[in-house]
Amino acid sequence: VDWSCLEGFALIETDFMYVAKCGLDGEWSEGEIVPYGPMQMSPAAGVLNYGQGVFEGMKASRLENGEVVIFRPDANAGRMQDGAARMSMPAPPTEMFIDAVKRTVAANERWVPPPGVGTLYLRPLLIGSGPILGLAPAPEYTLLVYCSPVASYFKGGQLTPINLAIADDMHRAGPGGTGGVKSA
């Protein structure tokens, strides 16, 4: 990998992704690592018609000793579970989520940049992949984890300070809505 070409927060396709399925019974299939690439999906998939999907984002970094570490996957699992509950979706158990993330990183370890160059950004998705015409939960769900090496989110790695006003008498998102979850 030519790390000198790594710039910003752009997608670089890696080798593999993780995929698991779940039906209405709430039982998850044994997830598997598959080659990264397009997914086949019905045009009636719940995520396409009703936005029934949630996502997360986290990073894996390479330390000076070569070890690869993942930043707080348990917190991301909890947030995905909260979002899944809000969107009427079966959530993967914490252990399954962490295993999916670790397996994705291990399968794509050659894409983890050296220390100081960047990180491997991980994007777990939980989507209503089964076809549904009426307004109801999808009959099938897919947990997908893919990744991409990234540099700093902001060009040049610099954050420009801004002035902010803090208001504690307003809500960022309406109570009971979907603004409090990372929904697709």
Side-chain angles (χ1 to χ4, degrees), residues 27-182:
E27 295 295 319
W28 285 94
S29 69
E30 183 70 31
E32 61 182 338
I33 295 293
V34 299
Y36 178 91
M39 299 170 45
Q40 187 170 3
M41 187 177 303
S42 167
V47 69
L48 298 177
N49 289 270
Y50 297 107
Q52 195 179 31
V54 295
F55 65 95
E56 277 299 320
M58 69 191 79
K59 294 178 180 179
S61 302
R62 189 175 303 278
L63 302 178
E64 291 293 336
N65 66 5
E67 180 185 4
V68 176
V69 295
I70 304 166
F71 184 69
R72 299 184 330 175
D74 56 328
N76 292 89
R79 207 167 29 243
M80 178 170 273
Q81 290 162 353
D82 291 346
R86 186 70 194 109
M87 300 299 289
S88 299
M89 302 168 68
T94 300
E95 300 77 25
M96 179 185 185
F97 181 94
I98 293 172
D99 180 63
V101 167
K102 286 181 176 179
R103 288 174 62 189
T104 303
V105 171
N108 292 288
E109 188 172 350
R110 77 182 189 97
W111 294 99
V112 181
V117 173
T119 57
L120 185 68
Y121 183 79
L122 296 143
R123 176 49 60 88
L125 300 171
L126 176 59
I127 59 174
S129 52
I132 187 82
L133 185 58
L135 185 56
E140 179 186 77
Y141 296 89
T142 299
L143 173 64
L144 169 76
V145 183
Y146 71 92
C147 58
S148 176
V150 296
S152 176
Y153 189 81
F154 297 99
K155 191 170 185 169
Q158 298 296 321
L159 295 177
T160 304
I162 59 173
N163 294 322
L164 296 174
I166 298 174
D168 58 8
D169 59 337
M170 296 181 204
H171 293 281
R172 180 187 71 81
T178 59
V181 299
K182 289 180 164 182

